[in-house]
Amino acid sequence: MSKPLVECVPNFSEGRDPKIIEAITNAIKETPGCTLLDVDPGKSTNRTVVTFVGDTTAIVNGAFNATKVAFLLIDMTKHQGAHPRMGALDVCPFVPVRDVTMEDCIECAKQFGKRCADELGLPIFLYEEASNRDYRKQLKQIRNGEYEGLEEKLKDPKWAPDFGPAKFIPSYGASVTGARNFLIAYNVNVLGTKEQAHRIALNVREAGRSEKEPGRLKMVKGIGWYVDEYNMAQVSMNLDNYKVTAVHTVFEECSKDARELNLAVTGSEIVGLVPLDAILMAADYYIKQENLFIIDEGQKVRLAINRLGLSACSPFDPKKRIIDYMVQEDLKVAEPLASMTVRSFIEIVGARTTAPGGGSVAANIAALGSALGAMAGWMTYGKKKFEDLDSTMRELIPPLDNLQNIQTFVNISLQMLLLKRAMKDLIPMIDADTKGFNEYVESMSVKGPQRDQAVLNALKKVVNIPLNTMRISNSIWPTMLKMAECCNINSKSDFDIGVKALELGVWGALQNVNINLVDMKDEKFKAEVQAECKVIWENTVKCSEKALAITNSRSS
């Protein structure tokens, strides 16, 4: 079972003294349950952005421990830097990553704020999702006036902290904490002046120059500044929702404005970590723009890094900068069976335990069947011997709703891509089946009047897991049939094994559905599932026989 994961991204007003930065980050590393992912200091900004993850308890402890160190070591009376700030710990957002809700993160922020107030006597403000007051919900509203204006601001009852005293602490200032969605701190490098970079920022940021003259990009905040250590200006932005305004959109818009000012753009910079999804969105954009043929995830990441110039200021290492890769070790917790070696999986299936059993094995076999189908496709594509099949393969794929963003040019590979996606969709079902069975067993121990409903809900989940294996497998039969007609016939044995493996995976999942329906009390649910299973199994048998007939006819 995967553990809940919260990301915390505290920004400390110290980017020049390595001893202070190390003391702060050590406080996080030494907190049980916290994993430090990234430390990004900036000399010109005199600010360090730290990223770490943990469960809802550990994350609060880690943030508090780091704040204690910042309270002791940072002196705001001496602080100067290019970035707006109001406290030693300036802002401390909590971000949902996995198996946690925004409400969970709001609670983390409130617990953190209360501890800072109760134990350290610090003034703490809530922002974003944790605040319910519109006039002080955004960070810029709370930070307006910055550290220099904080003493007077705290005298106004409207600006009483959410936690702690309305008291100015010269050496510390005040902090802001809250909950938000994933924010990307993103800078575009400009060979120009601070004023020119700021002019571009005014053009693109949502607030623009004024209410009457808004900017072009939604959910984007931005300013222009000059970075001495880089010897260039930057358009420095926060992307509050990269799915509304993507990283590549921001880069292209800034580049367009820079060209109009006869300025050169020399790449860009992501501060802290970035979701893999944001990088892949950029890759898909450039793939479409340039009519490229790239499917491999690693190659897509490399393309995005290159086109956005993410290594212009410092090397962009995907393993250290993409949060999905940083927490990949947790996959062993989230999917322990799928992460095992083949030997270990076989041995645990053969052990004296009820799970993992047939359901996990069925999902495994179905995933292998899909993988062999993809393999046959890759053994065809890109080989000079089979160039005459290119035009045929490009016509094989009907429009796919979830692949609309990939241009027609790469349709040659969509058969393989669909098979690979199905393969990846089936892998989690290996663990899901065992997890669902264990939860069903746990529901049997529930006491009182809630027991019957708890058992029914758990049993429905147990039924739906192998049913989903059947659905995913069934969805790729059209692709397998087309692949049978066009794939490299020298891969016939591999492909045929894949066909039979996919069939067996569906059959095995069906057996699990049927055995779990025996105790199902909801007759309507039972009838609907049985009817769907009948359709899927009949189609599976028909498609399996047809696929093998096609390859046999091609080899004779």
Side-chain angles (χ1 to χ4, degrees):
M1 183 184 299
S2 60
K3 61 180 180 181
L5 207 62
V6 178
E7 180 193 52
C8 185
V9 194
N11 290 219
F12 297 95
S13 296
E14 176 56 68
R16 299 167 184 167
D17 189 329
K19 291 182 179 179
I20 295 178
I21 295 170
E22 184 179 8
I24 290 171
T25 54
N26 280 343
I28 294 169
K29 287 194 288 188
E30 292 167 4
T31 302
C34 288
T35 302
L36 183 66
L37 299 181
D38 187 62
V39 181
D40 199 334
K43 291 183 179 179
S44 292
T45 58
N46 200 8
R47 185 181 186 87
T48 297
V49 179
V50 178
T51 306
F52 67 102
V53 292
D55 61 30
T56 52
T57 300
I59 206 79
V60 173
N61 292 337
F64 178 73
N65 291 339
T67 303
K68 281 196 296 185
V69 176
F71 177 56
L72 292 172
L73 300 183
I74 296 176
D75 185 355
M76 289 300 294
T77 64
K78 301 176 182 178
H79 183 273
Q80 294 292 327
H83 199 289
R85 77 283 182 270
M86 64 185 286
L89 166 68
D90 189 51
V91 60
C92 184
F94 295 88
V95 182
V97 175
R98 184 182 64 211
D99 292 343
V100 290
T101 64
M102 185 62 72
E103 287 69 27
D104 294 328
C105 290
I106 291 171
E107 184 58 28
C108 287
K110 291 180 177 179
Q111 289 180 16
F112 169 70
K114 188 173 187 306
R115 285 190 67 182
C116 289
D118 292 348
E119 299 182 38
L120 301 176
L122 303 178
I124 306 292
F125 293 87
L126 295 174
Y127 85 123
E128 292 287 355
E129 298 296 327
S131 174
N132 56 11
R133 289 184 272 189
D134 289 340
Y135 74 92
R136 50 190 278 180
K137 194 174 183 70
Q138 297 180 27
L139 181 57
K140 67 178 182 179
Q141 295 171 319
I142 302 171
R143 202 161 54 190
N144 185 36
E146 298 189 44
Y147 169 81
E148 289 75 12
L150 183 60
E151 185 173 10
E152 284 299 313
K153 193 170 193 174
L154 287 170
K155 294 176 183 178
D156 186 345
K158 286 178 58 180
W159 288 101
D162 292 283
F163 298 98
K167 175 185 175 182
F168 180 60
I169 304 173
S171 64
Y172 184 87
S175 297
V176 184
T177 187
R180 59 164 172 77
N181 289 309
F182 206 104
L183 177 148
I184 299 176
Y186 183 58
N187 304 327
V188 175
N189 306 324
V190 177
L191 297 184
T193 66
K194 170 186 174 181
E195 290 74 20
Q196 288 170 320
H198 191 63
R199 181 175 171 183
I200 296 172
L202 293 174
N203 291 341
V204 299
R205 70 184 189 185
E206 183 172 17
R209 289 171 169 78
S210 65
E211 289 186 9
K212 294 183 179 179
E213 198 175 357
R216 299 196 299 271
L217 302 180
K218 300 294 184 185
M219 305 293 286
V220 173
K221 301 181 179 75
I223 60 174
W225 60 31
Y226 199 87
V227 184
D228 292 330
E229 61 260 42
Y230 298 160
N231 191 26
M232 61 185 171
Q234 287 186 324
V235 185
S236 179
M237 294 159 286
N238 283 343
L239 281 57
D240 290 341
N241 190 331
Y242 70 88
K243 293 186 178 180
V244 173
T245 299
V247 173
H248 61 271
T249 302
V250 175
F251 181 75
E252 293 298 326
E253 288 296 309
C254 288
S255 298
K256 179 176 73 69
D257 283 17
R259 286 193 295 270
E260 292 174 358
L261 294 172
N262 296 318
L263 300 175
V265 168
T266 57
S268 61
E269 175 186 39
I270 289 174
V271 181
L273 301 185
V274 62
L276 175 62
D277 184 41
I279 296 296
L280 295 181
M281 286 170 63
D284 287 341
Y285 169 79
Y286 291 109
I287 287 170
K288 183 175 182 179
Q289 287 295 108
E290 301 171 33
N291 281 341
L292 303 176
F293 172 39
I294 302 173
I295 288 177
D296 179 77
E297 181 177 288
Q299 291 184 356
K300 280 190 170 188
V301 169
R302 179 173 292 185
L303 176 71
I305 293 170
N306 178 272
R307 295 298 187 267
L308 296 173
L310 292 178
S311 291
C313 298
S314 59
F316 184 94
D317 184 345
K319 294 180 181 179
K320 297 179 180 178
R321 304 300 301 281
I322 296 176
I323 190 168
D324 308 64
Y325 297 160
M326 292 291 290
V327 299
Q328 205 159 34
E329 281 300 304
D330 275 355
L331 193 63
K332 293 178 181 178
V333 178
E335 296 178 358
L337 298 178
S339 301
M340 286 181 174
T341 63
V342 173
R343 177 183 296 276
S344 297
F345 181 73
I346 292 171
E347 288 175 347
I348 196 171
V349 168
R352 192 193 289 268
T353 56
T354 53
S360 294
V361 170
N364 197 343
I365 292 172
L368 287 170
S370 180
L372 285 168
M375 173 190 168
W378 285 116
M379 291 298 100
T380 308
Y381 171 73
K383 295 184 181 294
K384 186 174 179 60
K385 180 179 178 181
F386 302 109
E387 279 183 340
D388 60 316
L389 293 173
D390 283 3
S391 59
T392 302
M393 291 192 71
R394 289 174 185 166
E395 297 172 0
L396 295 182
I397 306 298
L400 300 171
D401 290 341
N402 61 337
L403 297 172
Q404 287 297 317
N405 62 328
I406 301 179
Q407 76 280 19
T408 304
F409 180 81
V410 302
N411 276 353
I412 180 175
S413 65
L414 291 187
Q415 287 287 1
M416 290 84 83
L417 180 57
L418 182 58
L419 289 169
K420 289 188 77 173
R421 287 192 173 194
M423 174 183 69
K424 292 178 180 178
D425 286 342
L426 284 165
I427 289 172
M429 306 307 294
I430 299 169
D431 282 276
D433 187 85
T434 298
K435 178 183 174 184
F437 177 79
N438 290 336
E439 289 177 359
Y440 173 63
V441 172
E442 289 176 11
S443 72
M444 303 291 285
S445 63
V446 174
K447 306 296 183 184
Q450 296 85 12
R451 182 181 184 279
D452 288 348
Q453 189 61 48
V455 170
L456 180 62
N457 292 340
L459 187 57
K460 285 184 177 181
K461 184 175 181 179
V462 169
V463 168
N464 275 317
I465 291 168
L467 179 58
N468 281 334
T469 297
M470 295 179 68
R471 288 166 175 161
I472 294 169
S473 302
N474 192 50
S475 71
I476 62 171
W477 279 119
T479 300
M480 292 291 277
L481 289 172
K482 294 292 185 179
M483 201 64 74
E485 295 174 358
C486 299
C487 71
N488 180 350
I489 199 60
N490 293 327
S491 297
K492 177 182 183 301
S493 62
D494 301 300
F495 180 80
D496 288 356
I497 292 169
V499 169
K500 294 304 288 185
L502 191 61
E503 177 187 343
L504 179 58
V506 175
W507 182 86
L510 175 61
Q511 306 317 303
N512 272 263
V513 171
N514 287 339
I515 196 67
N516 290 317
L517 284 178
V518 171
D519 296 323
M520 176 57 61
K521 305 298 182 184
D522 186 333
E523 293 298 330
K524 182 174 181 293
F525 175 83
K526 182 176 182 178
E528 289 173 351
V529 169
Q530 288 175 329
E532 183 179 0
C533 286
K534 183 174 185 293
V535 171
I536 292 175
W537 177 240
E538 288 177 352
N539 184 63
T540 292
V541 172
K542 180 180 70 175
C543 290
S544 175
E545 292 175 352
K546 186 174 181 180
L548 295 179
I550 292 171
T551 56
N552 285 333
S553 67
R554 289 182 60 202
S555 62
S556 58

mmCIF file of all heavy atoms in Angstrom, residues 74-111:
data_model
loop_
_atom_site.group_PDB
_atom_site.id
_atom_site.type_symbol
_atom_site.label_atom_id
_atom_site.label_comp_id
_atom_site.label_asym_id
_atom_site.label_seq_id
_atom_site.Cartn_x
_atom_site.Cartn_y
_atom_site.Cartn_z
ATOM 1 N N ILE A 74 19.039 33.229 11.226
ATOM 2 C CA ILE A 74 18.837 34.285 10.227
ATOM 3 C C ILE A 74 18.472 35.592 10.923
ATOM 4 O O ILE A 74 17.570 35.617 11.764
ATOM 5 C CB ILE A 74 17.749 33.889 9.209
ATOM 6 C CG1 ILE A 74 18.193 32.658 8.404
ATOM 7 C CG2 ILE A 74 17.432 35.050 8.270
ATOM 8 C CD1 ILE A 74 17.143 32.135 7.441
ATOM 9 N N ASP A 75 19.150 36.657 10.541
ATOM 10 C CA ASP A 75 18.868 37.985 11.108
ATOM 11 C C ASP A 75 18.307 38.875 9.996
ATOM 12 O O ASP A 75 19.051 39.342 9.127
ATOM 13 C CB ASP A 75 20.143 38.592 11.684
ATOM 14 C CG ASP A 75 19.886 39.925 12.390
ATOM 15 O OD1 ASP A 75 18.741 40.420 12.342
ATOM 16 O OD2 ASP A 75 20.838 40.461 12.990
ATOM 17 N N MET A 76 17.012 39.119 10.036
ATOM 18 C CA MET A 76 16.360 39.889 8.982
ATOM 19 C C MET A 76 16.756 41.364 8.998
ATOM 20 O O MET A 76 16.554 42.066 7.995
ATOM 21 C CB MET A 76 14.848 39.746 9.098
ATOM 22 C CG MET A 76 14.325 38.376 8.721
ATOM 23 S SD MET A 76 14.717 37.907 7.009
ATOM 24 C CE MET A 76 13.749 39.103 6.094
ATOM 25 N N THR A 77 17.294 41.862 10.077
ATOM 26 C CA THR A 77 17.704 43.275 10.111
ATOM 27 C C THR A 77 18.881 43.520 9.174
ATOM 28 O O THR A 77 19.156 44.666 8.803
ATOM 29 C CB THR A 77 18.103 43.702 11.546
ATOM 30 O OG1 THR A 77 19.257 42.964 11.953
ATOM 31 C CG2 THR A 77 16.964 43.462 12.516
ATOM 32 N N LYS A 78 19.569 42.440 8.777
ATOM 33 C CA LYS A 78 20.729 42.565 7.895
ATOM 34 C C LYS A 78 20.456 42.015 6.496
ATOM 35 O O LYS A 78 21.360 41.990 5.656
ATOM 36 C CB LYS A 78 21.925 41.828 8.511
ATOM 37 C CG LYS A 78 22.331 42.336 9.889
ATOM 38 C CD LYS A 78 23.446 41.492 10.466
ATOM 39 C CE LYS A 78 23.829 41.966 11.869
ATOM 40 N NZ LYS A 78 24.889 41.112 12.464
ATOM 41 N N HIS A 79 19.231 41.579 6.259
ATOM 42 C CA HIS A 79 18.941 40.886 5.001
ATOM 43 C C HIS A 79 18.682 41.852 3.850
ATOM 44 O O HIS A 79 17.895 42.785 3.966
ATOM 45 C CB HIS A 79 17.713 39.973 5.176
ATOM 46 C CG HIS A 79 17.405 39.170 3.942
ATOM 47 N ND1 HIS A 79 16.624 39.632 2.914
ATOM 48 C CD2 HIS A 79 17.800 37.926 3.571
ATOM 49 C CE1 HIS A 79 16.528 38.716 1.974
ATOM 50 N NE2 HIS A 79 17.235 37.666 2.353
ATOM 51 N N GLN A 80 19.343 41.578 2.723
ATOM 52 C CA GLN A 80 19.099 42.284 1.477
ATOM 53 C C GLN A 80 19.085 41.254 0.355
ATOM 54 O O GLN A 80 19.914 40.349 0.324
ATOM 55 C CB GLN A 80 20.194 43.315 1.201
ATOM 56 C CG GLN A 80 20.233 44.470 2.187
ATOM 57 C CD GLN A 80 19.024 45.378 2.082
ATOM 58 O OE1 GLN A 80 18.481 45.563 0.996
ATOM 59 N NE2 GLN A 80 18.592 45.939 3.207
ATOM 60 N N GLY A 81 18.125 41.391 -0.556
ATOM 61 C CA GLY A 81 18.047 40.460 -1.669
ATOM 62 C C GLY A 81 17.049 40.930 -2.695
ATOM 63 O O GLY A 81 16.207 41.790 -2.422
ATOM 64 N N ALA A 82 17.144 40.358 -3.904
ATOM 65 C CA ALA A 82 16.287 40.799 -5.005
ATOM 66 C C ALA A 82 14.856 40.299 -4.875
ATOM 67 O O ALA A 82 13.943 40.859 -5.478
ATOM 68 C CB ALA A 82 16.877 40.325 -6.335
ATOM 69 N N HIS A 83 14.641 39.237 -4.087
ATOM 70 C CA HIS A 83 13.310 38.630 -4.008
ATOM 71 C C HIS A 83 12.481 39.265 -2.893
ATOM 72 O O HIS A 83 12.981 39.515 -1.796
ATOM 73 C CB HIS A 83 13.448 37.125 -3.751
ATOM 74 C CG HIS A 83 12.215 36.348 -4.107
ATOM 75 N ND1 HIS A 83 11.055 36.412 -3.375
ATOM 76 C CD2 HIS A 83 11.978 35.488 -5.135
ATOM 77 C CE1 HIS A 83 10.145 35.619 -3.932
ATOM 78 N NE2 HIS A 83 10.683 35.052 -4.993
ATOM 79 N N PRO A 84 11.188 39.538 -3.139
ATOM 80 C CA PRO A 84 10.317 40.023 -2.068
ATOM 81 C C PRO A 84 10.323 39.047 -0.889
ATOM 82 O O PRO A 84 10.355 37.833 -1.081
ATOM 83 C CB PRO A 84 8.938 40.080 -2.722
ATOM 84 C CG PRO A 84 9.204 40.151 -4.182
ATOM 85 C CD PRO A 84 10.463 39.378 -4.409
ATOM 86 N N ARG A 85 10.280 39.582 0.351
ATOM 87 C CA ARG A 85 10.298 38.714 1.534
ATOM 88 C C ARG A 85 9.783 39.489 2.738
ATOM 89 O O ARG A 85 9.806 40.719 2.761
ATOM 90 C CB ARG A 85 11.696 38.157 1.799
ATOM 91 C CG ARG A 85 12.660 39.157 2.440
ATOM 92 C CD ARG A 85 13.203 40.162 1.440
ATOM 93 N NE ARG A 85 14.147 41.082 2.033
ATOM 94 C CZ ARG A 85 13.815 42.258 2.594
ATOM 95 N NH1 ARG A 85 12.549 42.636 2.651
ATOM 96 N NH2 ARG A 85 14.750 43.029 3.106
ATOM 97 N N MET A 86 9.339 38.748 3.742
ATOM 98 C CA MET A 86 8.873 39.387 4.970
ATOM 99 C C MET A 86 9.351 38.668 6.226
ATOM 100 O O MET A 86 9.096 39.123 7.334
ATOM 101 C CB MET A 86 7.352 39.502 4.979
ATOM 102 C CG MET A 86 6.598 38.188 4.993
ATOM 103 S SD MET A 86 4.797 38.398 4.869
ATOM 104 C CE MET A 86 4.406 38.987 6.513
ATOM 105 N N GLY A 87 10.033 37.531 6.073
ATOM 106 C CA GLY A 87 10.486 36.810 7.246
ATOM 107 C C GLY A 87 11.643 35.879 6.973
ATOM 108 O O GLY A 87 11.969 35.587 5.812
ATOM 109 N N ALA A 88 12.282 35.408 8.034
ATOM 110 C CA ALA A 88 13.396 34.468 7.915
ATOM 111 C C ALA A 88 12.933 33.208 7.184
ATOM 112 O O ALA A 88 13.585 32.735 6.239
ATOM 113 C CB ALA A 88 13.941 34.131 9.295
ATOM 114 N N LEU A 89 11.855 32.621 7.649
ATOM 115 C CA LEU A 89 11.106 31.658 6.832
ATOM 116 C C LEU A 89 10.027 32.500 6.177
ATOM 117 O O LEU A 89 9.099 32.955 6.841
ATOM 118 C CB LEU A 89 10.481 30.555 7.679
ATOM 119 C CG LEU A 89 9.417 29.731 6.928
ATOM 120 C CD1 LEU A 89 10.040 28.899 5.832
ATOM 121 C CD2 LEU A 89 8.617 28.869 7.872
ATOM 122 N N ASP A 90 10.148 32.716 4.893
ATOM 123 C CA ASP A 90 9.238 33.653 4.242
ATOM 124 C C ASP A 90 7.879 33.018 3.970
ATOM 125 O O ASP A 90 6.841 33.548 4.342
ATOM 126 C CB ASP A 90 9.867 34.142 2.945
ATOM 127 C CG ASP A 90 9.067 35.279 2.327
ATOM 128 O OD1 ASP A 90 8.775 36.245 3.049
ATOM 129 O OD2 ASP A 90 8.732 35.184 1.135
ATOM 130 N N VAL A 91 7.904 31.861 3.302
ATOM 131 C CA VAL A 91 6.648 31.191 2.966
ATOM 132 C C VAL A 91 6.866 29.686 3.053
ATOM 133 O O VAL A 91 7.942 29.179 2.730
ATOM 134 C CB VAL A 91 6.150 31.607 1.564
ATOM 135 C CG1 VAL A 91 7.163 31.243 0.488
ATOM 136 C CG2 VAL A 91 4.793 30.980 1.238
ATOM 137 N N CYS A 92 5.834 28.982 3.499
ATOM 138 C CA CYS A 92 5.956 27.533 3.706
ATOM 139 C C CYS A 92 4.674 26.843 3.233
ATOM 140 O O CYS A 92 3.757 26.593 4.024
ATOM 141 C CB CYS A 92 6.214 27.235 5.182
ATOM 142 S SG CYS A 92 6.499 25.488 5.536
ATOM 143 N N PRO A 93 4.591 26.520 1.935
ATOM 144 C CA PRO A 93 3.391 25.853 1.411
ATOM 145 C C PRO A 93 3.455 24.332 1.564
ATOM 146 O O PRO A 93 4.527 23.736 1.494
ATOM 147 C CB PRO A 93 3.397 26.235 -0.065
ATOM 148 C CG PRO A 93 4.845 26.396 -0.384
ATOM 149 C CD PRO A 93 5.512 26.915 0.867
ATOM 150 N N PHE A 94 2.289 23.728 1.740
ATOM 151 C CA PHE A 94 2.147 22.277 1.772
ATOM 152 C C PHE A 94 1.341 21.868 0.538
ATOM 153 O O PHE A 94 0.279 22.448 0.263
ATOM 154 C CB PHE A 94 1.459 21.822 3.053
ATOM 155 C CG PHE A 94 2.274 22.095 4.297
ATOM 156 C CD1 PHE A 94 2.158 23.314 4.966
ATOM 157 C CD2 PHE A 94 3.167 21.154 4.777
ATOM 158 C CE1 PHE A 94 2.917 23.574 6.096
ATOM 159 C CE2 PHE A 94 3.930 21.411 5.910
ATOM 160 C CZ PHE A 94 3.804 22.619 6.570
ATOM 161 N N VAL A 95 1.834 20.863 -0.183
ATOM 162 C CA VAL A 95 1.279 20.506 -1.490
ATOM 163 C C VAL A 95 0.925 19.019 -1.513
ATOM 164 O O VAL A 95 1.769 18.181 -1.177
ATOM 165 C CB VAL A 95 2.302 20.804 -2.612
ATOM 166 C CG1 VAL A 95 1.711 20.493 -3.981
ATOM 167 C CG2 VAL A 95 2.769 22.252 -2.537
ATOM 168 N N PRO A 96 -0.301 18.661 -1.903
ATOM 169 C CA PRO A 96 -0.647 17.231 -1.992
ATOM 170 C C PRO A 96 0.084 16.560 -3.145
ATOM 171 O O PRO A 96 0.102 17.078 -4.260
ATOM 172 C CB PRO A 96 -2.167 17.252 -2.226
ATOM 173 C CG PRO A 96 -2.452 18.599 -2.820
ATOM 174 C CD PRO A 96 -1.431 19.530 -2.255
ATOM 175 N N VAL A 97 0.707 15.410 -2.849
ATOM 176 C CA VAL A 97 1.416 14.656 -3.882
ATOM 177 C C VAL A 97 0.728 13.328 -4.144
ATOM 178 O O VAL A 97 0.398 12.992 -5.272
ATOM 179 C CB VAL A 97 2.891 14.419 -3.481
ATOM 180 C CG1 VAL A 97 3.592 13.525 -4.508
ATOM 181 C CG2 VAL A 97 3.632 15.746 -3.350
ATOM 182 N N ARG A 98 0.457 12.548 -3.081
ATOM 183 C CA ARG A 98 -0.109 11.214 -3.288
ATOM 184 C C ARG A 98 -0.926 10.790 -2.072
ATOM 185 O O ARG A 98 -0.467 10.891 -0.927
ATOM 186 C CB ARG A 98 1.019 10.209 -3.536
ATOM 187 C CG ARG A 98 0.528 8.801 -3.869
ATOM 188 C CD ARG A 98 1.683 7.853 -4.051
ATOM 189 N NE ARG A 98 2.445 7.686 -2.825
ATOM 190 C CZ ARG A 98 3.749 7.432 -2.788
ATOM 191 N NH1 ARG A 98 4.444 7.370 -3.901
ATOM 192 N NH2 ARG A 98 4.370 7.272 -1.642
ATOM 193 N N ASP A 99 -2.137 10.346 -2.336
ATOM 194 C CA ASP A 99 -3.024 9.793 -1.304
ATOM 195 C C ASP A 99 -3.297 10.773 -0.168
ATOM 196 O O ASP A 99 -3.491 10.380 0.976
ATOM 197 C CB ASP A 99 -2.438 8.487 -0.734
ATOM 198 C CG ASP A 99 -2.439 7.358 -1.751
ATOM 199 O OD1 ASP A 99 -3.158 7.480 -2.757
ATOM 200 O OD2 ASP A 99 -1.722 6.365 -1.544
ATOM 201 N N VAL A 100 -3.267 12.065 -0.485
ATOM 202 C CA VAL A 100 -3.667 13.094 0.477
ATOM 203 C C VAL A 100 -4.535 14.109 -0.257
ATOM 204 O O VAL A 100 -4.426 14.275 -1.479
ATOM 205 C CB VAL A 100 -2.468 13.818 1.123
ATOM 206 C CG1 VAL A 100 -1.710 12.916 2.063
ATOM 207 C CG2 VAL A 100 -1.529 14.387 0.075
ATOM 208 N N THR A 101 -5.393 14.781 0.473
ATOM 209 C CA THR A 101 -6.286 15.775 -0.110
ATOM 210 C C THR A 101 -5.777 17.184 0.193
ATOM 211 O O THR A 101 -4.874 17.380 1.018
ATOM 212 C CB THR A 101 -7.700 15.626 0.464
ATOM 213 O OG1 THR A 101 -7.650 15.903 1.882
ATOM 214 C CG2 THR A 101 -8.236 14.213 0.241
ATOM 215 N N MET A 102 -6.381 18.163 -0.452
ATOM 216 C CA MET A 102 -6.061 19.547 -0.149
ATOM 217 C C MET A 102 -6.425 19.857 1.298
ATOM 218 O O MET A 102 -5.721 20.618 1.987
ATOM 219 C CB MET A 102 -6.811 20.477 -1.105
ATOM 220 C CG MET A 102 -6.452 21.948 -0.937
ATOM 221 S SD MET A 102 -4.703 22.291 -1.288
ATOM 222 C CE MET A 102 -4.691 22.106 -3.073
ATOM 223 N N GLU A 103 -7.497 19.253 1.783
ATOM 224 C CA GLU A 103 -7.910 19.461 3.177
ATOM 225 C C GLU A 103 -6.837 18.945 4.136
ATOM 226 O O GLU A 103 -6.575 19.550 5.175
ATOM 227 C CB GLU A 103 -9.241 18.763 3.450
ATOM 228 C CG GLU A 103 -10.452 19.439 2.813
ATOM 229 C CD GLU A 103 -10.490 19.332 1.301
ATOM 230 O OE1 GLU A 103 -9.921 18.341 0.750
ATOM 231 O OE2 GLU A 103 -11.044 20.235 0.649
ATOM 232 N N ASP A 104 -6.214 17.824 3.786
ATOM 233 C CA ASP A 104 -5.112 17.305 4.610
ATOM 234 C C ASP A 104 -3.967 18.313 4.680
ATOM 235 O O ASP A 104 -3.362 18.528 5.739
ATOM 236 C CB ASP A 104 -4.583 15.985 4.035
ATOM 237 C CG ASP A 104 -5.594 14.855 4.106
ATOM 238 O OD1 ASP A 104 -6.396 14.844 5.051
ATOM 239 O OD2 ASP A 104 -5.576 13.991 3.213
ATOM 240 N N CYS A 105 -3.672 18.935 3.544
ATOM 241 C CA CYS A 105 -2.574 19.908 3.501
ATOM 242 C C CYS A 105 -2.938 21.191 4.250
ATOM 243 O O CYS A 105 -2.055 21.824 4.858
ATOM 244 C CB CYS A 105 -2.199 20.205 2.055
ATOM 245 S SG CYS A 105 -1.396 18.812 1.228
ATOM 246 N N ILE A 106 -4.191 21.578 4.193
ATOM 247 C CA ILE A 106 -4.643 22.734 4.975
ATOM 248 C C ILE A 106 -4.432 22.460 6.457
ATOM 249 O O ILE A 106 -3.955 23.321 7.210
ATOM 250 C CB ILE A 106 -6.120 23.038 4.676
ATOM 251 C CG1 ILE A 106 -6.279 23.565 3.247
ATOM 252 C CG2 ILE A 106 -6.695 24.038 5.684
ATOM 253 C CD1 ILE A 106 -7.720 23.686 2.791
ATOM 254 N N GLU A 107 -4.753 21.247 6.880
ATOM 255 C CA GLU A 107 -4.567 20.875 8.281
ATOM 256 C C GLU A 107 -3.080 20.886 8.647
ATOM 257 O O GLU A 107 -2.699 21.299 9.754
ATOM 258 C CB GLU A 107 -5.166 19.497 8.536
ATOM 259 C CG GLU A 107 -5.118 19.041 9.990
ATOM 260 C CD GLU A 107 -5.834 19.980 10.948
ATOM 261 O OE1 GLU A 107 -6.791 20.659 10.527
ATOM 262 O OE2 GLU A 107 -5.411 20.050 12.126
ATOM 263 N N CYS A 108 -2.223 20.452 7.716
ATOM 264 C CA CYS A 108 -0.776 20.510 7.959
ATOM 265 C C CYS A 108 -0.336 21.951 8.193
ATOM 266 O O CYS A 108 0.448 22.241 9.112
ATOM 267 C CB CYS A 108 -0.013 19.939 6.764
ATOM 268 S SG CYS A 108 -0.085 18.144 6.596
ATOM 269 N N ALA A 109 -0.814 22.870 7.352
ATOM 270 C CA ALA A 109 -0.442 24.277 7.475
ATOM 271 C C ALA A 109 -0.892 24.843 8.816
ATOM 272 O O ALA A 109 -0.150 25.585 9.471
ATOM 273 C CB ALA A 109 -1.040 25.078 6.323
ATOM 274 N N LYS A 110 -2.090 24.480 9.228
ATOM 275 C CA LYS A 110 -2.609 25.003 10.493
ATOM 276 C C LYS A 110 -1.848 24.430 11.689
ATOM 277 O O LYS A 110 -1.553 25.151 12.649
ATOM 278 C CB LYS A 110 -4.108 24.712 10.603
ATOM 279 C CG LYS A 110 -4.949 25.529 9.617
ATOM 280 C CD LYS A 110 -6.435 25.228 9.744
ATOM 281 C CE LYS A 110 -7.250 26.108 8.792
ATOM 282 N NZ LYS A 110 -8.693 25.821 8.874
ATOM 283 N N GLN A 111 -1.519 23.160 11.631
ATOM 284 C CA GLN A 111 -0.723 22.564 12.714
ATOM 285 C C GLN A 111 0.656 23.205 12.781
ATOM 286 O O GLN A 111 1.170 23.502 13.864
ATOM 287 C CB GLN A 111 -0.596 21.049 12.496
ATOM 288 C CG GLN A 111 -1.873 20.274 12.723
ATOM 289 C CD GLN A 111 -1.668 18.791 12.482
ATOM 290 O OE1 GLN A 111 -0.545 18.293 12.441
ATOM 291 N NE2 GLN A 111 -2.764 18.055 12.311
#
